[in-house]
């Protein structure tokens, strides 16, 4: 590799990778906060527990990128669900369970604050309405309310 290519590769690796803030979009809730990234993650987890949902999964590329020498803003996906919803949804639509757990997304902004966003559970489960009918829509609405309460509590 030439010196020029090596220099460019080094400079690109040193530049923080970011696609910017999450913009409002159809079927999503996006909450800009003044909280630091790590604090918002902890507060989402605590609020989820208070609303009867469990943290089922967590994933984010930030740490792995850092181990490769790449700096990116904090980025964490937190999957939330519980067995009560799982059993009820499975009774209505086996296919709908591919969407569990429903996820919240915490992203770090350039100023150090964090944004909490998520697809509304009713939006996530809408493709299964033909199978699950009004009962599935009702469960999705219950999840919408819990997610809204989690977001509200986590932002305080």
């Amino acid at each position: 590799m030439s010196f020029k290519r090596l220099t460019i590769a080094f400079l690109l690796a040193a530049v923080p990778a970011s696609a910017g803030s999450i913009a409002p979009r159809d079927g999503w809730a996006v909450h800009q906060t003044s909280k630091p990234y790590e604090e918002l993650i902890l507060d989402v987890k605590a609020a989820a527990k208070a609303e009867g949902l469990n943290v089922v999964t967590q994933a984010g590329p930030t740490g792995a990128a850092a181990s490769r020498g790449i700096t990116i803003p904090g980025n964490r996906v937190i999957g939330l669900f519980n067995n009560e919803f799982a059993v009820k949804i499975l009774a209505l639509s086996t296919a709908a369970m591919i969407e569990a757990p429903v996820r919240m997304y915490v992203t770090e902004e350039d100023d150090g604050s964090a944004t909490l966003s998520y697809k509304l559970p009713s939006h996530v489960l809408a493709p299964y309405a033909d199978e699950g009918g009004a009962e599935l829509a009702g469960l999705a609405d219950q999840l919408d309310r819990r997610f809204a309460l989690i977001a509200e509590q986590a932002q305080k």
Side-chain angles (χ1 to χ4, degrees):
M1 182 181 283
S2 72
F3 177 75
K4 185 176 179 180
R5 282 188 182 170
L6 185 60
T7 302
I8 290 170
F10 176 74
L11 289 174
L12 287 175
V15 174
S18 176
S21 297
I22 294 182
R25 56 193 72 215
D26 189 40
W28 284 56
V30 179
H31 303 276
Q32 308 263 327
T33 76
S34 58
K35 285 193 174 185
Y37 168 75
E38 294 290 343
E39 183 179 342
L40 186 56
I41 289 172
L42 293 174
D43 290 346
V44 166
K45 291 177 184 180
K49 184 176 182 178
E51 289 304 319
L53 294 177
N54 302 312
V55 174
V56 178
T57 60
Q58 291 186 71
T62 310
S67 72
R68 295 177 38 229
I70 301 169
T71 302
I72 61 173
N75 188 292
R76 178 78 56 92
V77 177
I78 305 168
L80 305 174
F81 221 62
N82 72 23
N83 188 257
E84 179 184 340
F85 278 104
V87 169
K88 288 178 180 178
I89 290 172
L90 272 171
L92 301 169
S93 169
T94 300
M97 276 304 293
I98 190 75
E99 306 299 346
V102 182
R103 300 171 309 270
M104 289 195 142
Y105 191 27
V106 179
T107 50
E108 185 177 31
E109 302 299 329
D110 291 338
D111 67 358
S113 67
T115 298
L116 173 62
S117 56
Y118 59 92
K119 289 182 184 180
L120 299 171
S122 58
H123 183 75
V124 171
L125 294 172
Y128 312 97
D130 287 347
E131 291 176 21
E135 277 189 83
L136 182 60
L139 291 170
D141 288 343
Q142 288 178 39
L143 283 166
D144 279 355
R145 284 191 294 279
R146 287 197 192 190
F147 271 58
L149 289 169
I150 291 165
E152 182 181 315
Q153 286 179 283
Q155 291 178 79
K156 289 182 182 177

